[in-house]
């Protein structure tokens, strides 16, 4: 049995503006311009892709953006060093001072520091120009990924002024000073601190370096000093070692943090020339391939989420308040694990995870593909070095990741030859070995990890044998069939590779809160199917001790420009929406994970119900961590039910009208109001209730603008309404979405993505009157023909392949002849056609096929 045991202590650089070091933000009032944007005033954090990454018909701008401002350098800076510190700038950044290049950084997700002292003119204004380029570059990861590569200086920028004698700033650590604790127990922990002191002056200096350690209550524990003599332009490492007795250990339940301060003074002077302060923590951990994960000697199942760093309207240029809010919500969900997919995140993220008690898997963006060049390999290695050294000191960080689904493009690329594939595998494995070697050289005590997608190539290539832990990105019940196959796959891998610790690095279906149903099916994008899949996965992981843990994909919906799905340009697998409003599934995780009593009635976006009659049951899910809950209807009838897997389903027969539901357990309760409309009665009052029907699907859809509910389809029965003939259109037999294409000309894509093909008629048995009927269409086939079959001559009597032409009749009268959606409106485009109809009795809309199959996506009936 292979067991990985790790003893470590870490601290974070807070960059406090004390003593002779001056630190100030440099975020405000920059003049920004690019090839596609004229000069304007912006503040940092800033991205130029917050809007264009979400617009139809164009790719978002990837190129160069330029930031300019003037900086006055006073004469008193004559004996100072001046630095710019970037927390993140995507992806190639070059700094110019008065037209001269001061430095350049490659990579978009780690911090860096550039010394601008030599280029500054004292007692004068200086022009700062920062050129940022997010163009695709085959030598810079990421090459390709399911997220947007937003350009810009999207994290905070600082101006740092130090004495000529200072701690090193311009390095891969971006000024961080590393702390190690090679021995940790409750009785004693060994602390090692190594700092590099630099003398940028022209004369030798005698220096006193002082280290102070404070306990979690800010009580001073230790003070250590060392004397150092530095020549002009010389640098030296200073190493401290001490121990802390009765050490309080860091954990998700009790995130104990110690304080750390290190300072420089000249000779025997008490005046500090430079100083850092931070927090750090002690903990030990291991990953056992049979028993799972242990922290401080105790077993713990890691459950949490991945998190992308963008937000609706802001792209990735987030203020720290949003980072804090996100991670607080993750903690409040009951999670103890976060994966910073697929790149290092803002320094604030790691600080808040330390404080909240969230275990972190941090990784570099070597994702989907690798370039077989020394340049690419070297940049990837530099990214890993920067990540480790900058975030080395955080007790929350336990996993260093360095690859994600690295063979996925290779597997699905049918144009590559076998020889090309072999070369790609070879360079990917070689890079993985280099990254593993570097990771262990820099940090031999943490766990290395990579994430794989469901493919045997990771095993046969040997790449899965390189890191300490293997993460599987598994989407059974979504990209692969069968929820039950998730556990089967894990068992098979564990049996074949019993010495590999396994963690589930990604899982989850897309879910659109506009789409609701009580009959969930794969790829219908309903919240109900999201609940079904997550419930199944949690149960299967908890039943397997050998699984280290699981991270849901994703904490929140995020931008992905190539995505179409139910909401174009958005990956909708989040537990929250892109704007951070919560989906029902967030509360379900609370029911499974939190200790404090909780109860929640699902259906925030499903308060209008359409049962066939009062005899048909409505299912109301209640989430709770109690053993039993009760539900009252309209403050009278009260029923109770056991809770299984954090959920209880109440099946209710309710009359038409508004009903107040209240779920209760112990001293807590939750209420929700629902509105019941019986389908059998909808035709009796068309003047007060329009009929809007989502044809060809089992789900309801809510238009977020008009608030109309397009109810799920039904078959016609005399006296009612519904379709006659045809079949539900599905591009893929296993996916109940219809087409995943981005429907042009509408924001209501799901309404047009589903349809009934080959439909013969849609009937409404209404009373006499005048009505407006609106039909919704979209041609789902990209290769649909635009040819006009009625212009064929006798030698062309055979109708062209791919033509879809049909007539629309209302009560036997043709209202649209030879309707060819591709020809008349365009492919993959929303079409709405309305007809005013006067009838003595009933409305029958018929669809007569001329070529190909008729289709219909939606229908609205209004009484005029």
């Amino acid at each position: 049995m292979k067991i990985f045991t790790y003893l470590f202590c870490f601290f974070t650089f807070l960059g406090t503006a004390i003593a002779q070091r001056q630190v100030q933000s440099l975020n405000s009032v920059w003049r920004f311009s690019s090839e596609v944007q004229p000069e304007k005033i912006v503040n940092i954090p800033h991205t130029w892709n917050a809007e264009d990454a979400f617009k139809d018909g164009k790719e978002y701008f990837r190129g160069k953006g330029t930031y300019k401002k003037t900086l006055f350098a006073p004469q008193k800076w004559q004996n100072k060093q001046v630095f710019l510190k970037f927390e993140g700038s995507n992806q190639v950044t070059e700094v110019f001072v008065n037209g001269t290049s001061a430095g350049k950084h490659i990579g978009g997700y780690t911090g860096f520091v550039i010394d601008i002292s030599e280029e500054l003119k004292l007692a004068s204004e200086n022009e700062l120009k920062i050129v940022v380029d997010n163009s695709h570059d085959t030598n810079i990861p990421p090459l390709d990924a399911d997220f947007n590569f937003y350009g810009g200086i999207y994290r905070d920028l600082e101006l740092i002024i130090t004495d000529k004698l200072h701690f090193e700033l311009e390095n891969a650590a971006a000024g961080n000073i590393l702390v190690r604790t090679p021995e940790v127990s409750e009785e004693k922990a060994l602390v090692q601190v190594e700092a590099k002191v630099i003398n940028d002056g022209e004369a030798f200096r005698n220096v006193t370096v002082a280290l102070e350690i404070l306990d979690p209550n800010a009580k001073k524990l230790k003070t250590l000093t060392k004397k150092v003599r530095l020549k002009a332009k010389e640098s030296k490492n200073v190493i401290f070692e001490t121990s802390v007795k009765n050490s309080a250990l860091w954990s998700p339940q009790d995130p104990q943090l110690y304080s750390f301060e290190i300072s420089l003074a000249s000779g025997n002077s008490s005046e500090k020339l430079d100083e850092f302060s931070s927090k750090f923590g002690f903990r030990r951990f291991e990953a056992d391939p049979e028993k799972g994960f242990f922290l401080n000697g105790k077993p713990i199942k890691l459950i949490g989420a991945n998190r992308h760093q963008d937000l609706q309207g802001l792209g990735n240029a987030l203020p720290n308040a949003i980072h804090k809010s996100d991670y607080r919500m993750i903690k409040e969900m009951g999670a103890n694990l976060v994966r910073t997919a697929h790149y290092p995140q803002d320094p604030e993220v790691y600080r808040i995870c330390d404080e909240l008690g969230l275990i972190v898997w941090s990784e570099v963006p070597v994702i989907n593909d690798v370039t077989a060049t020394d340049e690419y390999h070297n940049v990837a290695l530099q990214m890993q070095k920067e990540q480790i050294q900058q975030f080395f000191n955080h007790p929350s960080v336990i996993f260093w990741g360095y690859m994600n689904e690295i063979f996925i493009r290779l597997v699905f690329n049918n144009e590559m030859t076998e020889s090309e594939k072999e070369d790609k595998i070879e360079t990917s494995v070689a890079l993985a070995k280099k990254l593993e070697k570097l990771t262990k050289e820099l940090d031999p005590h943490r766990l290395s990890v990579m994430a794989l997608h469901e493919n045997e190539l990771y095993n046969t290539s040997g790449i899965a044998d390189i890191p300490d832990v293997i993460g599987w990105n598994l989407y059974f019940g979504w990209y692969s069939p069968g929820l039950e196959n998730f556990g089967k796959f894990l068992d098979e891998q564990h049996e074949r590779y019993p010495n590999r610790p396994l963690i589930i690095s990604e899982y989850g279906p897309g879910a659109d809160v506009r789409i609701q149903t009580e009959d969930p099916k794969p790829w219908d994008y309903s919240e109900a199917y999201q609940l079904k899949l997550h419930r199944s996965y949690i149960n299967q992981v908890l039943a397997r001790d050998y699984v280290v843990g699981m991270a849901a994909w994703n904490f929140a919906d995020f931008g992905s420009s190539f995505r179409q799905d139910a909401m174009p340009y958005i990956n909708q697998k989040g537990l929250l929406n892109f704007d951070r409003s919560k989906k029902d599934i967030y509360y379900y995780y609370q029911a499974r994970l939190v200790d404090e009593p909780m109860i929640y009635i699902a259906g925030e976006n499903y308060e209008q119900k359409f049962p066939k009659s009062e005899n048909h049951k409505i299912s109301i899910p209640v989430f709770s961590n109690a053993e039993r809950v009760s539900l009252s209807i309209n403050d009278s009838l009260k029923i109770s039910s056991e809770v299984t897997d954090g959920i209880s389903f109440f099946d209710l027969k309710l009359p038409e009208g508004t009903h107040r539901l209240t779920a209760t357990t112990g001293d807590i309760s939750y209420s929700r109001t629902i509105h019941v409309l019986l389908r059998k009665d909808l035709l009796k009052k068309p003047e007060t209730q329009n009929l809007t029907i989502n044809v060809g699907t089992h789900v309801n859809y809510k238009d977020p603008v008009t608030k109309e509910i397009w109810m799920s389809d039904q078959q016609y029965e005399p006296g009612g309404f519904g379709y006659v003939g045809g079949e539900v259109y599905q591009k893929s037999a296993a996916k109940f979405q219809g087409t995943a294409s981005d429907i042009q000309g509408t924001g209501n894509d799901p309404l047009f993505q589903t349809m009934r093909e080959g439909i013969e008629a849609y009937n409404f048995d209404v009373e006499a009157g005048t009505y407006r009927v609106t039909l919704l269409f979209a041609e789902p086939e990209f290769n649909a023909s635009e040819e006009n079959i009625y212009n064929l001559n006798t030698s062309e009597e055979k109708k062209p392949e791919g033509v879809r032409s049909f007539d629309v009749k209302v009560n036997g009268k043709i209202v649209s002849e030879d309707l060819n959606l591709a020809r008349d409106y365009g492919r993959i485009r929303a079409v709405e056609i309305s007809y005013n109809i006067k009838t003595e009795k009933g409305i029958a809309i018929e669809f007569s096929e001329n070529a190909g199959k008729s289709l219909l996506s939606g229908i609205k009936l209004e009484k005029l």
Side-chain angles (χ1 to χ4, degrees):
M1 181 183 296
K2 184 179 179 183
I3 298 178
F4 303 93
T5 304
Y6 301 89
L7 311 176
F8 238 81
C9 156
F10 313 92
F11 84 103
T12 61
F13 164 54
L14 301 181
T16 51
I18 54 180
Q20 295 300 310
R21 171 173 294 204
Q22 300 174 38
V23 181
Q24 69 177 67
S25 65
L26 204 62
N27 290 342
S28 298
V29 192
W30 287 82
R31 305 189 312 276
F32 171 78
S33 62
S34 73
E35 298 172 26
V36 297
Q37 293 185 24
E39 187 170 276
K40 61 179 182 179
I41 301 298
V42 302
N43 294 326
I44 294 168
H46 170 262
T47 177
W48 57 74
N49 299 125
E51 296 180 3
D52 68 347
F54 303 94
K55 290 184 178 178
D56 277 348
K58 60 178 290 187
E59 294 184 1
Y60 65 96
F61 173 67
R62 296 189 66 184
K64 291 183 178 180
T66 301
Y67 299 82
K68 294 179 180 179
K69 76 178 305 160
T70 57
L71 176 69
F72 181 77
Q75 188 64 42
K76 65 180 181 179
W77 287 2
Q78 183 174 359
N79 295 315
K80 303 292 184 180
Q81 291 296 116
V82 183
F83 304 89
L84 293 181
K85 181 176 181 180
F86 295 75
E87 291 182 348
S89 179
N90 198 32
Q91 67 181 353
V92 177
T93 306
E94 188 165 11
V95 174
F96 296 86
V97 181
N98 299 319
T100 300
S101 177
K104 184 176 182 180
H105 180 262
I106 297 175
Y109 302 96
T110 47
F112 56 97
V113 176
I114 293 179
D115 188 341
I116 62 172
S117 308
E118 295 299 319
E119 290 76 25
L120 286 175
K121 297 177 182 177
L122 299 180
S124 175
E125 287 191 340
N126 297 265
E127 183 188 61
L128 297 184
K129 182 174 77 170
I130 304 173
V131 180
V132 184
D133 191 346
N134 72 331
S135 301
H136 176 73
D137 190 320
T138 57
N139 287 319
I140 303 176
L143 300 176
D144 170 88
D146 183 14
F147 59 89
N148 293 334
F149 305 156
Y150 302 95
I153 307 174
Y154 68 96
R155 293 181 188 158
D156 292 327
L157 176 61
E158 291 179 337
L159 179 70
I160 301 177
I161 302 112
T162 71
D163 190 87
K164 291 289 184 181
L165 187 68
H166 57 88
F167 291 114
E168 185 180 39
L169 274 165
E170 197 177 19
N171 55 15
N176 194 17
I177 297 174
L178 276 59
V179 163
R180 295 180 170 84
T181 57
E183 298 174 11
V184 170
S185 71
E186 288 82 351
E187 292 76 30
K188 186 176 72 170
L190 185 64
V191 180
Q192 297 172 341
V193 179
E194 181 174 356
K196 190 171 187 178
V197 183
I198 295 178
N199 178 13
D200 273 319
E202 300 298 331
F204 76 85
R205 303 283 291 272
N206 290 317
V207 185
T208 300
V209 185
L211 174 71
E212 292 184 348
I213 297 176
L214 293 82
D215 71 11
N217 297 314
K219 178 183 177 182
K220 190 178 296 185
L221 297 177
K222 295 286 181 78
T223 299
L224 306 172
T225 61
K226 288 199 173 185
K227 303 285 188 180
V228 181
R229 181 181 174 88
L230 292 99
K231 299 175 184 177
K233 307 301 181 182
E234 186 182 14
S235 63
K236 285 186 178 180
N237 290 333
V238 181
I239 301 173
F240 292 94
E241 182 170 300
T242 187
S243 61
V244 174
K245 294 182 179 179
N246 301 317
S247 47
L249 303 188
W250 183 96
S251 70
Q253 297 77 22
D254 190 17
Q256 294 284 344
L257 294 171
Y258 288 72
S259 297
F260 176 97
E261 295 178 359
I262 188 168
S263 61
L264 300 177
S266 181
N268 295 318
S269 171
S270 61
E271 181 183 355
K272 295 177 180 179
L273 298 177
D274 200 5
E275 184 176 45
F276 298 111
S277 65
S278 69
K279 294 182 179 180
F280 68 97
F282 302 102
R283 77 282 188 277
R284 63 182 187 273
F285 53 88
E286 63 184 66
D288 187 301
E290 286 292 339
K291 299 178 181 178
F293 189 78
F294 288 78
L295 182 67
N296 302 326
K298 298 176 182 178
I300 175 175
K301 185 73 79 173
L302 302 181
I303 301 179
N306 292 262
R307 187 257 189 178
H308 270 296
Q309 65 183 6
D310 57 346
L311 175 72
Q312 185 175 30
L314 294 179
N316 63 347
L318 303 189
N320 285 341
I322 298 298
H323 294 300
K324 292 177 183 178
S325 175
D326 277 3
Y327 282 86
R328 286 190 182 116
M329 282 193 284
I330 293 172
K331 182 69 174 182
E332 290 167 3
M333 187 180 83
N336 55 25
L337 172 69
V338 171
R339 178 180 176 220
T340 64
H342 290 294
Y343 37 75
Q345 297 192 1
D346 193 285
E348 184 68 17
V349 165
Y350 300 87
R351 189 192 68 79
I352 195 70
C353 286
D354 287 346
E355 293 183 357
L356 293 173
L358 284 168
I359 289 172
V360 176
W361 164 346
S362 187
E363 66 187 25
V364 290
V366 181
I367 175 172
N368 290 13
D369 197 7
V370 168
T371 302
T373 62
D374 290 340
E375 291 87 348
Y376 180 95
H377 282 223
N378 291 337
V379 172
L381 291 165
Q382 181 66 19
M383 286 180 171
Q384 182 72 335
K385 182 178 182 180
E386 290 176 348
Q387 170 182 240
I388 292 174
Q389 294 195 344
Q390 289 173 29
F391 304 116
F392 185 95
N393 306 323
H394 293 272
S396 57
V397 179
I398 286 178
F399 299 93
W400 291 129
Y402 52 72
M403 279 185 174
N404 179 80
E405 298 184 352
I406 206 63
F407 292 142
I408 196 165
R409 287 294 173 260
L410 178 153
V411 168
F412 291 102
N413 189 334
N414 296 323
E415 297 180 1
M416 291 181 69
T417 66
E418 287 304 313
S419 176
E420 289 172 333
K421 289 183 177 182
E422 288 300 319
D423 289 344
K424 185 71 73 174
I425 293 168
E426 182 180 351
T427 193
S428 301
V429 173
L431 178 57
K433 289 179 178 178
K434 293 177 187 176
L435 286 164
E436 176 70 13
K437 182 174 182 291
L438 176 68
T439 301
K440 291 308 180 185
E441 288 174 353
L442 296 174
D443 188 353
H445 303 291
R446 278 192 177 93
L447 294 163
S448 60
V449 62
M450 69 168 64
L452 322 175
H453 80 285
E454 181 207 343
N455 193 279
E456 183 61 18
L457 181 56
Y458 294 100
N459 292 321
T460 57
S461 67
I463 202 168
D465 296 318
I466 295 172
D468 297 328
V469 178
I470 283 301
W472 282 107
N473 299 348
L474 299 177
Y475 291 91
F476 291 99
W478 194 248
Y479 298 121
S480 300
L483 294 177
E484 71 284 354
N485 291 326
F486 170 66
K488 292 178 182 177
F489 176 87
L490 293 175
D491 290 341
E492 184 260 347
Q493 290 295 316
H494 180 56
E495 182 178 358
R496 290 173 59 193
Y497 305 99
N499 293 325
R500 280 186 195 166
L502 301 182
I503 189 169
I504 312 307
S505 38
E506 293 181 23
Y507 65 95
D512 189 322
V513 297
R514 301 172 298 177
I515 298 174
Q516 303 292 335
T517 184
E518 292 177 21
D519 180 27
K521 299 177 181 179
W523 279 81
D524 64 10
Y525 277 86
S526 69
E527 284 197 90
Y529 188 74
Q530 186 179 38
L531 171 61
K532 182 177 181 178
L533 186 145
H534 279 269
R535 180 186 185 186
S536 174
Y537 271 51
I538 292 172
N539 289 342
Q540 292 181 72
V541 166
L542 292 180
R544 291 166 170 82
D545 289 341
Y546 66 82
V547 178
V548 167
M550 59 196 306
W553 189 262
N554 195 277
F555 162 66
D557 295 350
F558 58 92
S560 181
S561 65
F562 80 90
R563 281 270 167 185
Q564 297 187 36
D565 298 342
M567 186 178 290
Y569 319 118
I570 305 292
N571 186 312
Q572 291 181 271
K573 295 185 179 70
L575 310 180
L576 280 71
N577 295 298
F578 199 17
D579 65 359
R580 300 308 193 260
S581 57
K582 295 169 184 173
K583 302 180 186 179
D584 279 346
I585 193 64
Y586 176 89
Y587 299 99
Y588 180 68
Y589 271 86
Q590 287 188 322
R592 297 302 298 263
L593 300 178
V594 302
D595 295 326
E596 299 80 12
M598 71 81 60
I599 195 165
Y600 175 81
I601 302 175
E604 178 71 21
N605 300 284
Y606 193 21
E607 294 186 338
Q608 195 155 316
K609 311 287 184 177
F610 298 96
K612 191 171 183 180
S613 71
E614 59 271 357
N615 293 320
H616 286 75
K617 293 180 178 179
I618 297 169
S619 182
I620 304 295
V622 175
F623 303 157
S624 180
N625 53 8
E627 294 182 0
R628 194 170 189 86
V629 296
S630 62
L631 185 72
S632 64
I633 298 95
N634 300 323
D635 300 320
S636 56
L637 177 65
K638 190 173 184 178
I639 53 180
S640 65
S641 173
E642 290 185 358
V643 176
T644 304
D645 303 335
I647 189 169
S648 180
F649 289 98
F650 290 86
D651 295 325
L652 309 177
K653 293 182 180 180
L654 296 174
E656 188 162 274
T658 298
H659 303 278
R660 179 176 173 81
L661 309 178
T662 302
T664 304
T665 181
D667 297 330
I668 61 171
S669 63
Y670 191 95
S671 296
R672 184 178 301 289
T673 298
I674 64 170
H675 310 281
V676 176
L677 293 170
L678 303 179
R679 289 179 181 240
K680 72 179 183 64
D681 295 332
L682 289 176
L683 291 183
K684 297 178 182 178
K685 45 188 175 183
E687 65 280 352
T688 60
Q689 178 68 45
N690 295 337
L691 263 72
T692 48
I693 303 158
N694 194 5
V695 177
T697 182
H698 61 288
V699 303
N700 300 333
Y701 175 79
K702 183 176 182 178
D703 185 325
V705 176
T706 67
K707 309 304 180 186
E708 293 173 303
I709 309 292
W710 295 75
M711 72 181 80
S712 59
D713 205 3
Q714 65 180 38
Q715 190 170 6
Y716 171 72
E717 294 180 2
F721 63 91
Y723 65 83
V724 177
E727 296 179 344
V728 171
Y729 173 86
Q730 288 179 226
K731 195 83 170 179
S732 169
K735 297 178 180 179
F736 292 85
Q737 188 187 12
T739 176
S741 297
D742 174 12
I743 307 299
Q744 300 296 298
T746 182
N748 294 316
D749 292 76
L751 191 54
F752 293 89
Q753 289 171 330
T754 56
M755 60 199 72
R756 193 161 196 88
E757 192 175 43
I759 187 171
E760 299 170 19
Y762 215 98
N763 296 336
F764 298 91
D765 289 348
V766 293
E767 297 177 351
T770 302
Y771 298 84
R772 178 184 294 118
V773 172
T774 301
L775 306 182
L776 276 58
F777 306 98
E779 173 53 64
E781 302 293 343
F782 283 96
N783 60 354
S785 175
E786 299 177 356
E787 292 192 50
N788 187 343
I789 61 173
Y790 291 108
N791 287 340
L792 299 176
N793 59 39
T794 54
S795 65
E796 299 173 319
E797 286 183 356
K798 186 177 179 180
K799 295 170 184 175
E801 191 173 335
V803 167
R804 188 192 305 275
S805 168
F806 55 93
D807 300 337
V808 179
K809 300 178 182 178
V810 176
N811 291 345
K813 180 181 178 180
I814 292 180
V815 292
S816 290
E817 185 175 9
D818 182 26
L819 181 58
N820 181 325
L821 297 168
R823 178 197 65 206
D824 300 338
Y825 300 97
R827 308 170 186 85
I828 324 295
R829 180 167 288 278
V831 177
E832 296 186 26
I833 305 176
S834 296
Y835 312 95
N836 289 349
I837 301 163
K838 187 174 183 179
T839 181
E840 295 298 323
K841 184 179 181 182
I843 297 175
I845 301 103
E846 299 175 80
F847 304 89
S848 301
E849 296 172 350
N850 303 313
K853 294 183 178 181
S854 60
L855 54 77
L856 181 65
S857 284
I859 189 167
K860 178 196 285 191
L861 178 71
E862 303 170 82
K863 179 73 179 292
L864 300 179

